[in-house]
């Protein structure tokens, strides 16, 4: 396993290729492995890292996955309603974004409660994932609404794709109860984003609904890859498609 | 009441033709499986297949067919409604509403064609619809109620149909589990979320929120549409009272009911649709 620690040792070693140094470096690397979790260097290679949470498979995996997405949406709208665009936005836009904040926080807490009621603590995704919104300008209407559109459309794609992985009908109904609200959100955000003729169609535009009149559906691996930039806390979905 | 029983009350011949021996039905199911798989490929679902364990026995049964037949009946209703609305001239002078209706109409026509292709020989025939409900409404201004009233009724009916569609598809999701590695369920979900987009936009055109609060049908909705909203006040989600999970605005009953759309049984959806079906 490599880390910044190992690289530094190699650089400072007088004869990095000698067997003696190699053993020494390896020993440090082993000792340093425990420190990896606190090392945020981009160059470090962490696979396979047992410290990274895996969402699990089946119903557990889908619930953890939904919990991760709802944590992301909640964190985003929490920043939005505390940001300067929101405080100066029109009444309609303020109300819509505040409703979305309320709904996503409720969804997040629902998944936390549902997971805790049915699974043991070590199986449940941590409740305090950290997110990276460095690319979002919370003072900008275009940036906030554009990001909201991406997140809501992603939510629809994610729940639509996850439905078939769910094993228990009750959980499928729960996913159904939430995905249609995400779709209502997506339509509303798309609707207020635009103002001219073409944008009248944006609520369910040809860019998102196909020629069969169907929304998309993506696998967890595709969603996590697409939304990965928002997640500062790494996790894996090795048991989900 | 199953959809087959329901439709049998409204049609004299088609279902007797469709009704087949148990053995023949099983033969058709095999065909359906193939057609579903074929239909799924252009949607990108085919590529997802096989790696995932199916949620249940990977066979098509009468529950699946009934669920899809109910869906097709609701899509026939919506499809004809939007086509007649666009043809009526009532939307003239409202460019946003006209554009929205055109986009929704395009989707509902596509849903009809898609479900027909999936159901194939198990497709039900299109009923005869009466969107005036025996003269109670005049949404297309056919009896001269006037553009303004007709327009209001046109939007109110659209809201009722879309909010019903969302709930009805959700109610059938469990019946679509486990066919073709989930391809039928996924397709159902992909229609379901489009209906929700439609519902949100129609509601916002009417000056409402895009989401449903408590069981409120919203300003201007006829009393007769209350059945569409009853049950939306539910706050118990999978055994959890979602108003008790924290404090503040996300946990008010208002927010907690908006945040979850509720399913509707096939019987309720059938009862609502039957208001607009004459034969």
């Amino acid at each position: 396993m490599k880390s910044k620690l190992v690289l530094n040792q190699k650089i400072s070693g007088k004869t990095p290729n000698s067997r003696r140094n190699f053993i020494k470096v390896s020993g440090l690397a082993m000792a340093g492995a425990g420190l990896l979790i606190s090392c945020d260097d981009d160059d470090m290679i962490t696979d396979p890292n047992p410290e990274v949470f895996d969402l699990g498979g089946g119903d557990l995996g889908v619930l953890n996955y939904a919990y991760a997405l709802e944590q992301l949406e909640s964190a985003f709208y929490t920043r939005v309603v505390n940001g300067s665009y929101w405080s100066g936005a029109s009444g309609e836009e303020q109300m819509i974004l505040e409703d979305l904040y309320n709904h996503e926080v409720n969804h997040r807490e629902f998944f936390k409660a549902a997971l805790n009621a049915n699974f043991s603590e070590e199986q449940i995704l941590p409740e305090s994932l950290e997110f990276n919104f460095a690319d979002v300008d919370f003072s900008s209407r275009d940036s906030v609404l554009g990001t909201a559109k991406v997140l809501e459309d992603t939510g629809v794609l994610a729940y639509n794709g996850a439905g078939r992985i769910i094993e228990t009908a009750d959980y499928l109904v729960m996913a159904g109860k939430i995905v249609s609200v995400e779709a209502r959100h997506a339509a509303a955000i798309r609707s207020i984003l635009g103002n001219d003729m073409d944008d009248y169609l944006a609520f369910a535009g040809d860019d998102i609904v196909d020629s069969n009149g169907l929304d998309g559906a993506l696998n967890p691996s595709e969603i996590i890859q697409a939304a990965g930039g928002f997640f500062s806390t790494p996790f894996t979905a090795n048991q989900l498609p | 009441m199953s959809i087959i029983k329901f439709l049998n009350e409204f049609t004299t011949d088609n279902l007797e033709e469709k009704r087949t021996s148990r053995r023949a039905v099983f033969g058709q199911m095999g065909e359906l499986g193939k057609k579903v798989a074929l239909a799924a490929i252009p949607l990108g679902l085919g590529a997802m297949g096989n790696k995932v364990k199916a949620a249940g026995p990977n066979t098509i049964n009468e529950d699946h067919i009934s669920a899809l037949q109910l869906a097709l009946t609701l899509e026939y209703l919506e499809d004809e409604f939007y086509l007649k609305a666009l043809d009526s001239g009532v939307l003239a002078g409202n460019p946003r509403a006209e554009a929205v209706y055109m986009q929704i109409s395009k989707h509902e026509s596509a849903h009809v064609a898609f479900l027909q292709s999936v159901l194939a020989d198990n497709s039900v025939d299109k009923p005869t619809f009466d969107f005036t409900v025996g003269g109670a409404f005049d949404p297309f201004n056919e009896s001269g109620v006037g553009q303004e009233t007709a327009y209001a009724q046109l939007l109110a009916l659209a809201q009722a149909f879309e909010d019903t569609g969302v709930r009805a598809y959700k109610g059938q999701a469990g019946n679509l589990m486990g066919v073709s590695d989930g391809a039928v369920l996924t397709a159902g979900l992909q229609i379901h979320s489009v209906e929700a987009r439609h519902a949100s936009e129609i509601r916002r055109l009417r000056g409402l929120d895009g989401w449903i609060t408590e069981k409120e049908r919203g300003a201007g909705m006829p009393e007769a549409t209350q059945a569409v909203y009853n049950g939306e006040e539910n706050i118990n989600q999978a055994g959890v009272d979602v108003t008790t999970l924290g404090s503040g605005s996300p946990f008010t009953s208002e927010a907690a009911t908006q945040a979850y759309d509720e399913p509707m049984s096939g019987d309720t959806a059938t009862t609502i649709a039957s208001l607009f079906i004459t034969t």
Side-chain angles (χ1 to χ4, degrees):
Chain A
M1 187 178 292
K2 294 177 183 174
S3 74
K4 188 67 171 285
L5 184 63
V6 177
L7 292 173
N8 286 343
Q9 287 295 326
K10 279 183 175 173
I11 289 162
S12 63
K14 287 175 184 172
T15 51
N17 293 326
S18 75
R19 179 174 171 79
R20 186 174 167 183
N21 267 307
F22 175 75
I23 292 167
K24 184 180 165 189
V25 166
S26 296
L28 280 167
M30 295 292 276
L35 299 173
L36 276 173
I37 196 69
S38 59
C39 173
D40 61 1
D41 188 275
D42 287 339
D43 294 327
M44 77 178 182
I45 298 165
T46 58
D47 60 312
N49 190 338
E51 303 293 339
V52 173
F53 185 87
D54 188 78
L55 299 178
D59 286 346
L60 169 66
V62 174
L63 289 173
N64 271 327
Y65 172 53
Y67 186 32
L69 295 174
E70 298 294 349
Q71 283 196 39
L72 168 59
E73 289 186 309
S74 298
F76 171 71
Y77 290 113
T78 299
R79 293 281 300 271
V80 168
V81 298
N82 286 288
S84 64
Y85 154 64
W86 184 83
S87 57
S90 72
E92 181 193 21
E93 292 181 5
Q94 277 194 343
M95 283 199 302
I96 287 174
L97 290 164
E98 195 173 359
D99 281 352
L100 269 49
Y101 161 79
N102 287 338
H103 302 166
E104 306 302 1
V105 170
N106 198 293
H107 292 166
R108 180 190 70 198
E109 294 305 306
F110 164 75
F111 282 111
K112 180 181 166 185
L115 281 160
N116 278 289
N118 293 288
F119 298 96
S120 59
E121 195 181 338
E122 70 274 10
Q123 294 176 295
I124 301 171
L125 184 75
E127 67 179 58
S128 50
L129 295 185
E130 290 180 8
F131 300 96
N132 170 21
F133 296 120
D135 292 338
V136 182
D137 178 356
F138 289 95
S139 69
S140 156
R141 181 181 189 271
D142 283 351
S143 181
V144 167
L145 295 184
T147 307
K149 175 178 129 174
V150 169
L151 288 177
E152 299 295 345
D153 281 338
T154 299
V156 172
L157 292 164
Y159 281 105
N160 280 354
R164 72 202 192 97
I165 310 166
I166 296 172
E167 295 158 338
T168 306
D170 284 351
Y171 291 141
L172 175 62
V173 173
M174 283 311 308
K177 290 183 183 204
I178 291 172
V179 66
S180 57
V181 173
E182 304 289 345
R184 289 174 189 269
H185 292 170
I189 291 291
R190 285 168 156 268
S191 185
I192 60 174
L193 247 176
N195 294 304
D196 56 28
M197 259 311 272
D198 281 350
D199 296 330
Y200 288 152
L201 312 180
F203 71 99
D206 294 348
D207 62 316
I208 196 79
V209 179
D210 73 15
S211 60
N212 283 311
L214 306 186
D215 249 319
L218 290 178
N219 276 337
S221 60
E222 296 168 290
I223 295 289
I224 291 168
Q225 188 174 29
F230 288 119
F231 289 99
S232 298
T233 309
F235 59 85
T236 57
N238 294 331
Q239 299 167 64
L240 295 172
Chain B
M1 196 196 311
S2 77
I3 186 67
I4 289 176
K5 193 174 161 198
F6 153 67
L7 286 168
N8 219 19
E9 291 181 2
F10 293 97
T11 57
T12 52
D13 56 350
N14 63 323
L15 277 160
E16 286 311 311
E17 281 173 26
K18 305 273 187 229
R19 199 181 290 279
T20 47
S21 74
R22 188 172 174 78
R23 188 172 163 187
V25 167
F26 279 116
Q28 287 175 359
M29 286 169 192
E31 282 303 300
L32 176 55
K34 280 182 219 158
K35 288 192 162 83
V36 166
L38 284 172
I41 289 167
L43 313 176
L45 294 175
M48 289 190 202
N50 298 341
K51 280 182 255 173
V52 183
K53 193 179 66 177
N58 197 13
T59 53
I60 289 177
N61 62 34
E62 291 189 31
D63 282 346
H64 304 136
I65 293 173
S66 292
L68 293 168
Q69 287 174 331
L70 171 61
L72 178 57
T73 302
L74 294 174
E75 297 292 351
Y76 279 138
L77 182 149
E78 290 183 310
D79 184 33
E80 183 166 311
F81 171 76
Y82 287 105
L83 288 172
K84 284 192 166 170
L86 288 165
D87 199 39
S88 70
V90 171
L91 295 164
N94 291 281
R96 180 180 164 199
E98 191 164 29
V100 167
Y101 270 58
M102 285 175 71
Q103 188 74 353
I104 295 179
S105 177
K106 183 169 83 175
H107 295 157
E108 308 301 7
S109 294
H111 293 166
V112 167
F114 180 78
L115 289 168
Q116 284 176 332
S117 75
V118 172
L119 277 165
D121 292 345
N122 287 300
S123 293
V124 288
D125 289 341
K126 187 166 100 166
T128 302
F129 297 107
D130 171 20
F131 295 103
T132 74
V133 192
F137 302 110
D138 189 17
F140 309 127
N141 200 24
E142 292 163 323
S143 304
V145 73
Q147 289 286 103
E148 198 179 331
T149 302
Y151 179 71
Q153 292 180 353
L154 210 52
L155 288 186
L157 285 174
Q159 181 185 319
F161 293 152
E162 297 297 344
D163 279 333
T164 297
V166 173
R167 298 191 66 180
Y169 272 96
K170 204 186 320 294
Q172 296 306 311
N175 288 333
L176 295 178
M177 290 175 86
V179 190
S180 297
D181 283 338
V184 178
L185 170 64
T186 302
L189 291 172
Q190 290 174 290
I191 297 178
H192 168 248
S193 59
V194 171
E195 301 292 334
R197 288 179 188 270
H198 295 169
S200 176
E201 184 69 1
I202 293 287
R203 295 175 61 89
R204 296 186 64 260
L205 261 180
R206 296 190 65 253
L208 302 177
D209 290 336
W211 24 94
I212 301 165
T213 304
E214 304 281 356
K215 59 177 178 182
E216 296 169 10
R217 61 183 185 268
M221 289 297 284
E223 169 91 45
T225 63
Q226 186 56 42
V228 175
Y229 299 96
N230 289 337
E232 284 286 356
E233 71 277 19
N234 179 40
I235 54 171
N236 184 323
Q237 302 301 348
V240 176
D241 179 344
V242 291
T243 64
T244 64
L245 297 175
S247 58
S249 57
F251 305 100
T252 61
S253 68
E254 186 179 47
T257 55
Q258 290 171 350
Y260 303 86
D261 280 334
E262 297 300 318
M264 177 183 279
S265 72
D267 285 356
T268 303
T270 299
T271 302
I272 291 169
S274 69
L275 291 172
F276 302 93
I277 294 174
T278 55
T279 57

